[in-house]
């Protein structure tokens, strides 16, 4: 088996250190954690801190999008209605397994740290490069038929914020062993996120 190359080692170290210490972690510390003698190794391979963050996201997103596409195909083949719960499951369920099957231990915590970073908006996670993610989010938006467009967008933003926090906590428990004995954690997270998305519109309730 060949050992990981310098770029791969930096990606893994960057994911872990940013997850633990935030986006401002020293690039030198990342190079050291990746066993690179050159303190400028991150700049050499990724150009900048932003380039490293974008590369970490893109590296994981490809496999996540492939798994979402498979789940979307199953959903459509079964002619399951486009309601929030199954669409949310398509979006979130790969996050419980796919990064860890690739050897990650910190990806959800990394996402929690970088989700508001300007480079994430520039990447456009729902763009043409990852069609399953884009389609799932669009269909999830359309499935919120009881709400006006502005409230749909607000609910999806809030759901994303809570989703990142819950996934990071799930990951923290998973790798500390604290998740043992907690039944149906994944289903419970999906139930909470579905409840957040579909809770009644308070403005509509006030008019009755």
């Amino acid at each position: 088996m060949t050992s990981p190359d310098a770029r791969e080692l930096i990606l893994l170290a960057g994911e872990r250190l940013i997850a633990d210490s935030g986006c401002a972690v020293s690039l030198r510390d990342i190079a050291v954690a990746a066993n690179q003698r050159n303190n400028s190794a991150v700049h050499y391979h990724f150009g900048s801190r932003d380039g490293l963050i974008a590369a970490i996201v893109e590296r994981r997103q490809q496999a996540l999008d492939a798994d979402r596409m498979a789940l979307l195909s199953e959903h459509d083949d079964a002619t399951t209605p486009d309601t929030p719960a199954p669409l949310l499951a398509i979006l979130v369920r790969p996050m419980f397994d796919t990064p860890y099957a690739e050897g990650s231990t910190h990806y959800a915590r990394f996402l929690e740290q970088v989700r508001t970073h300007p480079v994430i908006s520039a990447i456009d996670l729902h763009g043409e490069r990852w069609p399953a993610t884009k389609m799932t989010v669009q269909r999830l938006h359309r499935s919120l038929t009881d709400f006006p467009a502005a409230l749909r967008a607000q609910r999806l933003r809030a759901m994303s914020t809570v989703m990142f926090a819950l996934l990071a906590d799930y990951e923290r428990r998973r790798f500390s062993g604290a998740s043992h004995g907690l039944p149906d954690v994944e289903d419970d997270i999906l139930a909470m996120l579905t409840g957040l998305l579909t809770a009644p519109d308070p403005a509509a309730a006030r008019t009755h």
Side-chain angles (χ1 to χ4, degrees):
M1 178 183 292
T2 59
S3 58
D5 62 15
R7 192 175 190 278
E8 177 73 6
L9 290 169
I10 293 169
L11 285 168
L12 291 170
E15 183 177 287
R16 186 177 70 254
L17 267 65
I18 291 171
D20 287 340
S21 303
C23 295
V25 65
S26 163
L27 297 185
R28 180 182 182 280
D29 288 348
I30 292 175
V32 169
N35 296 318
Q36 302 302 300
R37 295 179 182 177
N38 183 349
N39 292 339
S40 300
V42 175
H43 286 286
Y44 176 79
H45 289 281
F46 301 99
S48 65
R49 183 187 309 275
D50 288 359
L52 174 62
I53 291 171
I56 294 169
V57 172
E58 291 187 19
R59 176 175 181 270
R60 301 294 183 202
Q61 184 68 17
Q62 292 178 16
L64 286 166
D65 200 70
D67 285 350
R68 287 174 182 138
M69 186 63 76
L71 291 172
L72 267 176
S73 295
E74 292 176 10
H75 172 86
D76 290 340
D77 289 346
T79 62
T80 306
D82 270 4
T83 54
L87 291 170
L88 193 58
I90 291 166
L91 185 67
V92 178
R93 280 208 183 276
M95 289 295 300
F96 292 123
D97 296 302
T98 303
Y100 313 121
E102 294 191 323
S104 178
T105 57
H106 285 71
Y107 187 57
R109 284 170 282 180
F110 165 84
L111 286 179
E112 186 182 33
Q113 293 282 7
V114 305
R115 66 180 183 81
T116 60
H117 194 283
V119 75
I120 301 302
S121 299
I123 290 173
D124 184 11
L125 287 179
H126 311 313
E128 297 302 324
R129 281 177 291 179
W130 300 302
T133 304
K134 178 180 180 179
M135 283 190 289
T136 305
V137 171
Q138 288 177 336
R139 289 164 69 167
L140 189 56
H141 182 275
R142 289 197 297 267
S143 75
L144 300 173
T145 55
D146 292 338
F147 306 133
L151 185 56
R152 295 183 196 187
Q154 179 175 299
R155 288 290 176 90
L156 284 169
R157 284 194 300 270
M159 185 278 297
S160 296
T161 299
V162 175
M163 177 186 71
F164 284 123
L166 290 174
L167 289 172
D169 186 61
Y170 165 86
E171 182 181 83
R172 200 173 288 114
R173 288 168 171 262
R174 174 174 179 158
F175 287 98
S176 69
S179 61
H180 294 308
L182 295 177
D184 304 322
V185 174
E186 297 178 13
D187 288 344
D188 194 43
I189 288 173
L190 283 168
M192 286 188 282
L193 294 175
T194 302
L196 188 156
L197 272 181
T198 59
D201 178 1
R206 287 195 296 270
T207 63
H208 295 294

